[in-house]
């Protein structure tokens, strides 16, 4: 595998207790040609603030805030936005 872009979709709904560790883990990988598409599915905790803080620090992190529509809707939105040759989904 060369330097193909890999899209990582992270569905997010009220996971502020785990979100920082999740994003730190992704960003800490040795393969760096990635885009991280975080779909915030209407979280009511501090998940949105955490996501936007990461996006402000690293341009590979993309945040999509949307009304709660369910897991599948969020994943499908991430797939629509993905630019990578490969797509992965990581539960936060």
């Amino acid at each position: 595998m060369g330097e193909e872009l890999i899209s990582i979709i992270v569905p997010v709904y009220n996971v502020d207790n785990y979100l920082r560790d999740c994003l730190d883990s992704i960003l800490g990988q040795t393969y760096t040609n990635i885009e991280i598409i975080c779909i915030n599915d209407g979280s009511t905790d501090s998940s949105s603030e955490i996501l936007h803080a990461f996006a402000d620090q690293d341009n590979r992190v993309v945040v999509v805030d949307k009304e709660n529509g369910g897991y599948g809707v969020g994943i499908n939105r991430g797939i629509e936005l993905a630019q990578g040759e490969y797509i992965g989904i990581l539960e936060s």
Side-chain angles (χ1 to χ4, degrees):
M1 182 161 77
E3 287 297 313
E4 294 92 354
L5 178 66
I6 296 176
S7 299
I8 302 167
I9 300 168
V10 182
V12 175
Y13 181 74
N14 291 344
V15 291
D16 61 357
N17 290 333
Y18 313 101
L19 194 51
R20 284 183 188 86
D21 288 341
C22 173
L23 295 174
D24 282 338
S25 175
I26 298 168
L27 293 170
Q29 299 299 308
T30 56
Y31 192 88
T32 58
N33 193 21
I34 59 175
E35 66 175 351
I36 304 163
I37 304 169
C38 300
I39 308 296
N40 179 29
D41 194 28
S43 293
T44 57
D45 62 2
S46 63
S47 292
S48 181
E49 291 83 10
I50 294 167
L51 292 173
H52 286 282
F54 272 85
D56 289 344
Q57 296 291 318
D58 195 313
N59 65 359
R60 297 175 295 171
V61 179
V62 176
V63 179
V64 177
D65 290 305
K66 61 180 235 30
E67 289 184 23
N68 185 266
Y71 180 83
V73 174
I75 294 296
N76 287 338
R77 181 69 179 127
I79 291 171
E80 290 171 2
L81 296 171
Q83 299 292 312
E85 180 74 21
Y86 303 98
I87 297 174
I89 299 169
L90 182 63
E91 300 277 336
S92 50

